[in-house]
Amino acid sequence: MRSFDANGDRARTLGVAVLLSLPVLVSVPLDLVPLLRGPAPYPPEWQWAFRPDGPAQSLLGAVLCLAGLLALLAASEKAAGDRRRGAALVAGAVVLGFGLQIALLARDPGPPLQTLLARTRSRSYTSYHTVAISPEARDPGAFLRHHADGLPALARSAKHAATHPPGPVLFYRAALALCEASPRLTDQLLGAAGVPDRDFRPPATRAARAGALLGALLLGLLGALAAWPLAWLALALGVESTAAARLALLWALLPGPALQTPQFDQALALPVVAVAALMVTTSQRRAGAWRAVLAGAVGGVALFTSYGAAAFLAIGGLAAVAATSSNPAAFRRSALLGALAAGVAGLLAFGVPALLGHHPVRAMLTALTIHREIYTAPRSYALWLLFNPLDLALFLGLPVAVTGLLLLPGTVDHAARGGAGTAITRFRLAAFAGVAGLLALGVTRGEVGRLWIPLMPLLLVASLGGPDAPDRKESLIHATLLATLTLAMGGYWVI
């Protein structure tokens, strides 16, 4: 076996990941260690509920999607040196990953698309669609102008919408408008979900229900599409093309993105990893400034969707700057391009809405205050300093998290001895340092298996990327463990 990197034995690292994963795989369906689900139910703390009877329906569809992903990994050796076959593997990751998300919804009673629709329309699950079909959002311009003033009222009736920018509500409003403009699209969506062919009283009209389903499907698809910039990021950091495609396939198997449909956190993985990939490639092209502007535009969309995206974009951007900073001159260039990207993001997320009558700073401060009062202050900082890393490791996939952590000491030791290292080692150090800093801040207390999905593509590349990334056999071992964990958590935890 080749070494995993200059400081460790790849076979030993993989063996430890397997040994630590197996007890968890046994514990999840039997609930042998309830603390794996969290310390206590909400409120005020957080704990994933346990489903003692297992999934409500057969997960055969999910098993078939998982088998397809494993088959693509098994055949990945044939893609070596062939860009088209490598692209086909990434496309397969998107299609099967999206199919896996939908198929896993069979763990709840009812057809999967009806479950998806019910989750989206639920006031407690997200509440964005609830606000989008309300009279207050009938005029998007007026909603934007009065958004900051309306947040305290939303805190009582739509908590998720009250702690976010207007982006998620306007997203569902756009989906509703599209379905209202196309009765055929409305009929096709509702027909696929098995919704009766009849009218419904406003505001939950047929078009409103179809818009809910359309928006939910788009969120899941955006999450699956993160496989493309993930593979691009890996390539830019020196990962061989076939190994980068394997990382894209592994992305589809992670419990977090596979089990959290439909959530904006899932969709935010796409812009966060795209920004990191763009920023890494700015040093490799003459058009670096334009790539930084594009990264800023993508980041601005993410910020208009979630205030928390600022932390994820910062971690990805700083990791990208570290990866491209092999010398002082390169660092200065990367830092300037990073500042340019940040400026464009701020202009798009705050400046443009302000020109349209929004009060972005007041809205942000109000939303963050509401979030702190509801979700942060009532919970124990010390408790979640312990449980947040556990939840993140489980939903990232224990084999991936363990591998990354085992590689970290050797990477740190090499850096301490003055080695600049490769781009991937600098990226790894910065990404894990960013996550450690976010954990120490304690602004998120519980449910990071959902909330931190946007960080998972970065952590996947940091943990398994590099010039000596897992080969086909090792990738299959990782994939098998991830697939089993995703099925177990999906079948027995209420997610």
Side-chain angles (χ1 to χ4, degrees):
M1 294 285 287
R2 296 170 292 167
S3 61
F4 215 133
D5 69 355
N7 303 289
D9 179 11
R10 192 165 77 180
R12 184 174 65 250
T13 301
L14 182 60
V16 173
V18 171
L19 289 175
L20 290 178
S21 298
L22 290 178
V24 175
L25 291 174
V26 173
S27 177
V28 168
L30 300 176
D31 205 30
L32 297 177
V33 185
L35 286 176
L36 287 175
R37 297 185 283 108
Y42 175 81
E45 304 296 349
W46 179 263
Q47 187 178 62
W48 304 99
F50 181 64
R51 185 187 286 117
D53 296 328
Q57 303 178 76
S58 169
L59 294 181
L60 178 60
V63 171
L64 292 176
C65 289
L66 291 170
L69 289 165
L70 290 171
L72 288 178
L73 274 171
S76 62
E77 206 69 37
K78 298 178 182 179
D82 190 325
R83 288 192 173 186
R84 286 184 299 178
R85 289 189 177 185
L89 290 177
V90 180
V94 173
V95 173
L96 289 173
F98 181 52
L100 177 63
Q101 296 172 21
I102 304 303
L104 282 167
L105 292 172
R107 62 189 185 269
D108 292 333
L113 290 184
Q114 287 189 14
T115 298
L116 195 64
L117 179 57
R119 289 184 170 197
T120 307
R121 295 184 61 227
S122 168
R123 183 181 295 272
S124 60
Y125 194 83
T126 65
S127 77
Y128 306 120
H129 180 262
T130 303
V131 179
I133 64 174
S134 69
E136 290 76 16
R138 185 174 292 123
D139 180 349
F143 174 77
L144 196 62
R145 289 191 296 273
H146 299 110
H147 176 256
D149 296 325
L151 291 176
L154 289 179
R156 297 187 293 271
S157 60
K159 293 180 180 178
H160 289 90
T163 57
H164 283 72
V169 171
L170 294 178
F171 170 83
Y172 278 112
R173 190 71 205 178
L176 167 60
L178 186 59
C179 290
E180 285 178 334
S182 176
R184 182 179 179 183
L185 176 62
T186 292
D187 291 340
Q188 288 176 336
L189 286 166
L190 297 184
V195 176
D197 186 10
R198 65 178 181 84
D199 292 329
F200 297 93
R201 289 188 302 175
T205 60
R206 286 181 60 79
R209 292 166 190 257
L213 182 57
L214 176 62
L217 289 169
L218 286 174
L219 291 179
L221 180 59
L222 290 171
L225 284 169
W228 283 107
L230 185 154
W232 184 28
L233 173 63
L235 281 170
L237 291 171
V239 178
E240 186 269 331
S241 60
T242 306
R246 291 189 186 117
L247 291 179
L249 288 164
L250 291 177
W251 164 251
L253 294 164
L254 301 190
L259 294 172
Q260 298 286 357
T261 305
Q263 295 283 359
F264 277 91
D265 312 276
Q266 195 182 21
L268 281 172
L270 177 62
V272 169
V273 70
V275 166
L278 283 165
M279 293 309 299
V280 167
T281 57
T282 53
S283 65
Q284 303 172 0
R285 308 274 183 175
R286 290 184 179 179
W290 286 109
R291 287 184 177 241
V293 170
L294 179 57
V298 173
V301 173
L303 279 173
F304 191 64
T305 304
S306 168
Y307 296 119
F312 307 140
L313 292 167
I315 291 172
L318 290 173
V321 169
T324 55
S325 301
S326 55
N327 56 61
F331 174 76
R332 286 192 295 270
R333 173 178 167 79
S334 296
L336 286 173
L337 291 174
L340 173 61
V344 172
L347 181 64
L348 186 62
F350 295 98
V352 173
L355 292 175
L356 298 175
H358 189 226
H359 303 281
V361 175
R362 182 154 60 89
M364 179 181 68
L365 294 176
T366 302
L368 294 178
T369 298
I370 293 171
H371 184 276
R372 175 170 176 76
E373 291 174 352
I374 296 176
Y375 299 112
T376 307
R379 298 180 181 177
S380 165
Y381 171 84
L383 187 66
W384 289 106
L385 199 60
L386 172 66
F387 277 96
N388 274 347
L390 175 62
D391 203 45
L392 178 62
L394 287 169
F395 281 87
L396 173 63
L398 203 58
V400 177
V402 169
T403 300
L405 289 174
L406 289 176
L407 283 175
L408 201 55
T411 307
V412 171
D413 180 64
H414 183 64
R417 287 188 278 110
T422 61
I424 185 64
T425 58
R426 295 193 297 273
F427 182 87
R428 179 182 299 140
L429 279 174
F432 276 94
V435 172
L438 190 57
L439 285 167
L441 283 176
V443 292
T444 307
R445 300 180 188 178
E447 210 177 351
V448 297
R450 171 180 68 84
L451 296 171
W452 289 8
I453 289 176
L455 287 175
M456 292 181 185
L458 308 179
L459 294 176
L460 177 60
V461 173
S463 297
L464 299 185
D468 203 8
D471 60 21
R472 181 174 69 99
K473 179 180 177 182
E474 292 158 346
S475 295
L476 279 169
I477 294 172
H478 278 289
T480 302
L481 292 171
L482 290 170
T484 309
L485 183 61
T486 297
L487 277 178
M489 291 170 63
Y492 289 90
W493 290 9
V494 180
I495 300 172

